[in-house]
Amino acid sequence: MRKRQETYVITNADAAFKKVNENLNSAEKEILIMTSSKGVIRTWKNKALLKNWQEKGVSVKIMAPVTSENLKAARELSKHFSIRHIAACYSRITLVDSKHLFQFKTPLPDQEKLEGLQHFESTIYSNDLEYVQRTKDMLNEIWSASFDVSRVMVESIVRVPVPTVTLSTPVSDIASMMSKHNIGAIIVARDYEPLGIVTEKDIIERVVLAKKDPHEIVAQEIMTAPLITVDSERTIEEALEIMRRNHV
């Protein structure tokens, strides 16, 4: 008997999570995913699912913004599956075997959480083959216009504008800025000229563990200098090689 074709909303996050995972684990031929930066990380962390796909020889294509946040996950995934960079993710969609479509709500980048099931709330599901095929055609067009992770340019993942502090900025203020901007390092500059960098590791090792007062210690005392830089028109692979050579 031919299965009934339908499209509906799964309002319950747990129910949606269960149905998505059942379909992903039972995939036989292909999976096409367009997701967010954090979605790449979530996929990479699901080791059991990745192993299942590899063992069954499932073709997996993933499209997502490749950023400094998910670069490691993207590179690891690219060793076994196809992953490409897109400038932005306006809709999060998963297609399984050209039969099952899941469309997830898309939160603002600064509101999306890495853990939890929030992104499964109000998931749209469809097995309407005509609708699924139209969506697949659209995703394949986006895939054709995207490019391989190895070709992602540095300029596409950098944060602009770059948060900076002065040489005399107290470490306590630097820590607050890092927390506010959700970053792990900050540039020290003088008259817009970058002089050094202060990282979370610098603060921990040179202030916290040294039992110094973060209100008294300033950027100049703990920053790493000179800066090792890379041109924004270089690829990420080239930037990573520079980092490797300089033990960054």
Side-chain angles (χ1 to χ4, degrees):
M1 180 182 293
R2 186 176 179 181
K3 192 173 181 179
R4 178 184 176 187
Q5 295 187 20
E6 53 190 352
T7 299
Y8 57 88
V9 177
I10 308 174
T11 56
N12 182 272
D14 289 319
F17 174 77
K18 182 178 180 181
K19 188 171 184 66
V20 170
N21 275 278
E22 285 178 350
N23 278 272
L24 289 175
N25 276 291
S26 62
E28 299 176 351
K29 296 181 179 180
E30 62 176 358
I31 296 173
L32 186 55
I33 299 172
M34 183 164 68
T35 187
S36 63
S37 175
K38 284 185 171 62
V40 172
I41 300 174
R42 282 193 290 267
T43 302
W44 173 58
K45 286 185 173 182
N46 196 339
K47 306 300 184 185
L49 182 60
L50 299 180
K51 183 179 179 181
N52 178 18
W53 290 342
Q54 284 183 261
E55 290 177 346
K56 293 195 296 184
V58 177
S59 170
V60 181
K61 294 180 178 180
I62 303 171
M63 292 175 282
V66 176
T67 67
S68 56
E69 176 188 34
N70 70 359
L71 178 58
K72 178 181 178 181
R75 295 183 79 230
E76 289 298 316
L77 285 170
S78 69
K79 294 178 181 179
H80 306 286
F81 309 107
S82 299
I83 180 165
R84 290 194 173 187
H85 169 75
I86 53 178
C89 177
Y90 300 107
S91 183
R92 299 193 304 152
I93 300 171
T94 294
L95 288 179
V96 181
D97 288 336
S98 300
K99 298 177 182 178
H100 306 280
L101 178 152
F102 295 93
Q103 184 168 349
F104 311 94
K105 65 179 183 179
T106 307
L108 295 173
D110 59 345
Q111 295 179 357
E112 183 177 3
K113 298 183 182 300
L114 191 57
E115 306 297 337
L117 301 180
Q118 298 91 335
H119 56 286
F120 284 99
E121 294 175 357
S122 300
T123 294
I124 297 174
Y125 167 77
S126 181
N127 64 354
D128 182 313
L129 296 184
E130 183 179 348
Y131 179 41
V132 172
Q133 186 60 49
R134 287 202 308 268
T135 304
K136 181 179 179 180
D137 291 342
M138 177 195 73
L139 292 179
N140 280 330
E141 287 184 11
I142 297 174
W143 177 267
S144 297
S146 62
F147 48 93
D148 189 81
V149 174
S150 64
R151 293 176 54 205
V152 177
M153 309 302 288
V154 170
E155 64 182 353
S156 68
I157 69 167
V158 296
R159 183 187 294 262
V160 179
V162 178
T164 62
V165 297
T166 66
L167 292 166
S168 59
T169 301
V171 170
S172 57
D173 290 351
I174 295 174
S176 295
M177 288 184 66
M178 286 182 177
S179 176
K180 177 181 178 181
H181 294 286
N182 192 29
I183 54 178
I186 202 159
I187 299 297
V188 182
R190 178 174 54 204
D191 297 330
Y192 302 103
E193 177 190 0
L195 302 174
I197 187 170
V198 174
T199 66
E200 289 178 337
K201 183 179 179 182
D202 292 331
I203 294 176
I204 293 172
E205 293 184 350
R206 301 173 186 177
V207 180
V208 178
L209 296 181
K211 297 181 179 180
K212 295 181 179 179
D213 187 345
H215 295 88
E216 298 294 331
I217 303 300
V218 299
Q220 185 174 13
E221 297 176 72
I222 67 167
M223 72 180 188
T224 299
L227 280 174
I228 297 171
T229 62
V230 61
D231 191 280
S232 63
E233 295 183 357
R234 292 287 193 97
T235 66
I236 289 177
E237 295 292 336
E238 291 173 318
L240 289 172
E241 176 59 22
I242 291 172
M243 293 172 70
R244 187 192 65 78
R245 290 201 306 265
N246 289 278
H247 308 289
V248 176

